[in-house]
Amino acid sequence: MNKTQLIDAIAGDAGISKAAAKSALESFLKNVGETLTKGDKISLVGFGSWSVSERAEREGRNPQTGKTIKIAAKKVVKFKAGADLDGSVNTPVKATAKKKK
């Protein structure tokens, strides 16, 4: 699903215009980005949580030359799925019975 499809789904589910759904989604994304930039954590109970962690400087290899290079330290965004989201994705699928010939 891309951003346009998500906006269409939000508009349909909430019974609002696509413009209002787009505005709400953009506000959500902006606020998530600003909160993570400050180093704060975001938790949506049941859905999941976002946080920022530090990745230390490390050594890597240039795949073309095989030379050792230094990969700079950086901050990375992490997402951990909540129990409800995890459960909905991991529901067991019923096996279909095979017919005997």
Side-chain angles (χ1 to χ4, degrees):
M1 176 179 276
N2 63 30
K3 187 175 179 180
T4 302
Q5 293 168 328
L6 182 56
I7 290 168
D8 291 343
I10 291 169
D13 290 346
I16 58 176
S17 69
K18 289 182 184 179
K22 180 179 179 183
S23 178
L25 179 60
E26 288 175 350
S27 174
F28 173 77
L29 296 174
K30 177 182 151 246
N31 283 289
V32 166
E34 288 175 354
T35 301
L36 293 173
T37 299
K38 288 188 247 177
D40 294 338
K41 184 177 177 180
I42 299 170
S43 292
L44 300 177
V45 176
F47 183 75
S49 59
W50 291 268
S51 62
V52 176
S53 66
E54 301 267 343
R55 183 176 288 166
E57 183 179 280
R58 63 192 199 278
E59 287 188 355
R61 293 205 176 269
N62 181 333
Q64 292 178 339
T65 64
K67 262 187 153 173
T68 301
I69 58 172
K70 284 190 179 180
I71 301 171
K74 69 177 191 173
K75 294 180 181 179
V76 293
V77 176
K78 292 188 176 184
F79 177 77
K80 184 172 191 304
D84 293 346
L85 178 60
D86 190 48
S88 68
V89 171
N90 289 304
T91 54
V93 178
K94 292 181 182 178
T96 57
K98 291 184 180 180
K99 293 182 181 179
K100 292 184 180 180
K101 292 184 180 181

